[in-house]
Amino acid sequence: MRKRLVAGNWKMNTDLNDGFKLLKEILHNVREPELKDCDVHIYAPFTHLKIFHNSLNGSGITLGAQNCHHKEGGAYTGEVSAQMLTSVPVESVLVGHSERRAYCGETNEILAEKVTTALANGLNVIYCYGETLEERESDQHFDVVKSQIEEGTAHLTEEQWAKVTLAYEPVWAIGTGKTASAEQAQEIHAYSRKVLEGISSASVAQNTRILYGGSVKPNNAGELFSMEDIDGGLIGGAALNAESFAGIITA
Ligand code: 13P
């Protein structure tokens, strides 16, 4: 049985004051019984992590970062290493978000190294992948998804897979208000499990959580999360409002 997971990706939103206010509202809105059935993660900006760690202590909500560098350390001005995150401490990190692939030139090859470095430093990983609109319209979405999963994660051992969650986020659905239909998402999630079975094993394919991300809101989360291979969501815009975020967790 895969436990549900709802993760909020705050992206480059909120300064420290507004972020702290939002965190308090989330803590107020997310009820303890819900955390028994559903893991909740918050992926906050780097500047917020230490103070958020102190506030989340004992809440049952897991703290994560939105990125880390693929190298262990050294002359990479402005970057943050996996080990730095572990020292906060945060428990988890997003790897391969489409915004980083598109705007920061992160390739599958770099992402494979980043997954390894994050895991080696004791972090859990949410590995994101998904096709653009152009790729879907030209019927390349299955190939794109396959190569993003394979090239980023095929090197992982079964033991490492226990610390990795996948997140399918079709680029055309991110921040657009245009959600993939539950059937479209389910189709890719089921396909992703086949890819996992190919690169690892049937039990990894069965046990790995796969989240859906892209314009998830309280009113569409229930239908998406009811699909067999969808284990929860990676939430952008709706994670910046405590009531919406709580509504998605309830769904
Ligand atoms: P939205 O929920 O705003 O579409 O963003 C999804 C996302 O990119 C989460 O990582």
Side-chain angles (χ1 to χ4, degrees):
M1 239 343 238
R2 302 181 298 265
K3 190 177 179 187
R4 300 303 172 114
L5 166 57
V6 170
N9 173 12
W10 288 21
K11 309 192 179 184
M12 196 170 73
N13 291 298
T14 72
D15 65 15
L16 194 49
N17 288 327
D18 291 343
F20 192 61
K21 236 169 79 188
L22 175 59
L23 185 74
K24 290 282 172 207
E25 286 167 15
I26 289 172
L27 283 168
H28 183 256
N29 276 271
V30 175
R31 300 280 160 214
E32 221 184 304
E34 284 169 343
L35 294 171
K36 287 208 175 66
D37 303 322
C38 179
D39 288 335
V40 175
H41 293 191
I42 292 177
Y43 291 83
F46 290 133
T47 46
H48 301 21
L49 293 174
K50 186 66 196 171
I51 191 166
F52 277 28
H53 166 71
N54 296 339
S55 304
L56 286 173
N57 205 2
S59 68
I61 295 177
T62 295
L63 180 63
Q66 297 168 21
N67 182 41
C68 67
H69 201 264
H70 52 286
K71 299 291 182 199
E72 284 288 348
Y76 299 98
T77 301
E79 295 293 340
V80 171
S81 74
Q83 195 275 327
M84 290 173 190
L85 295 179
T86 310
S87 74
V88 171
V90 310
E91 288 177 55
S92 187
V93 65
L94 298 181
V95 173
H97 193 281
S98 63
E99 287 148 18
R100 296 207 56 89
R101 290 176 187 266
Y103 309 141
C104 307
E106 295 193 355
T107 61
N108 290 330
E109 196 184 351
I110 289 173
L111 296 171
E113 196 176 341
K114 194 179 293 218
V115 172
T116 302
T117 306
L119 292 172
N121 282 279
L123 294 166
N124 294 315
V125 167
I126 295 186
Y127 181 79
C128 311
Y129 61 99
E131 81 285 358
T132 62
L133 186 59
E134 203 184 3
E135 287 161 348
R136 178 164 279 262
E137 284 177 344
S138 57
D139 227 17
Q140 296 173 65
H141 46 302
F142 288 103
D143 291 343
V144 169
V145 157
K146 184 168 191 272
S147 63
Q148 288 179 341
I149 298 175
E150 284 184 350
E151 291 169 27
T153 66
H155 60 293
L156 299 179
T157 63
E158 286 219 24
E159 201 181 319
Q160 287 175 313
W161 271 110
K163 304 200 71 185
V164 177
T165 296
L166 295 183
Y168 169 57
E169 298 203 301
V171 178
W172 48 273
I174 295 178
T176 57
K178 195 175 165 199
T179 323
S181 69
E183 291 72 25
Q184 280 174 322
Q186 165 60 27
E187 186 180 37
I188 297 289
H189 282 230
Y191 177 69
S192 302
R193 287 197 201 285
K194 274 207 194 121
V195 174
L196 277 188
E197 188 166 345
I199 58 176
S200 187
S201 69
S203 81
V204 165
Q206 203 44 47
N207 295 330
T208 300
R209 292 192 285 199
I210 308 180
L211 311 181
Y212 167 79
S215 299
V216 178
K217 310 285 178 220
N219 63 6
N220 59 28
E223 192 188 355
L224 286 160
F225 298 171
S226 70
M227 304 308 282
E228 189 182 340
D229 291 299
I230 301 181
D231 304 313
L234 182 55
I235 319 300
L240 296 170
N241 176 289
E243 277 176 34
S244 306
F245 191 54
I248 291 169
I249 294 164
T250 306

